[in-house]
């Protein structure tokens, strides 16, 4: 799963926006905002906090919506 997740992270834009970690059947696991979506999502995976560890093993997909300004 980690390899698949890393491939999805690389495909994320380096722009500002909102990102969503999704579980099975598209269930929302976590919603966040970022100035750089790719870097912020990568930080959840590479340096997980206690709360990140509660959902990271259930992530099936990552979605995002770019914004025209910083969130």
């Amino acid at each position: 799963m980690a390899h698949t997740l890393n491939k999805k992270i690389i495909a994320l834009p380096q722009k500002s926006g909102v990102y969503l970690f999704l579980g099975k059947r598209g269930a929302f696991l976590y919603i966040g905002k970022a100035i750089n979506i790719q870097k912020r999502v990568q930080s959840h995976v590479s340096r997980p906090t206690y709360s990140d560890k509660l959902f990271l093993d259930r992530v099936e997909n990552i979605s995002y919506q770019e914004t025209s300004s910083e969130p």
Side-chain angles (χ1 to χ4, degrees):
M1 177 62 185
H3 179 67
T4 304
L5 195 56
N6 285 330
K7 289 175 85 174
K8 291 179 183 188
I9 292 170
I10 291 169
L12 294 172
Q14 294 185 13
K15 296 184 177 185
S16 63
V18 178
Y19 59 93
L20 300 90
F21 285 102
L22 303 170
K24 291 184 180 182
R25 291 180 260 152
F28 296 112
L29 299 175
Y30 184 86
I31 300 171
K33 60 183 181 174
I35 294 171
N36 182 320
I37 296 170
Q38 186 184 76
K39 284 185 180 182
R40 183 65 186 112
V41 171
Q42 181 62 46
S43 73
H44 281 288
V45 176
S46 63
R47 294 179 304 277
T49 63
Y50 173 78
S51 60
D52 293 335
K53 292 176 184 178
L54 296 174
F55 69 84
L56 281 176
D57 62 335
R58 298 182 296 161
V59 174
E60 297 284 327
N61 201 2
I62 303 169
S63 181
Y64 67 90
Q65 177 65 51
E66 292 180 24
T67 58
S68 58
S69 62
E70 295 180 11

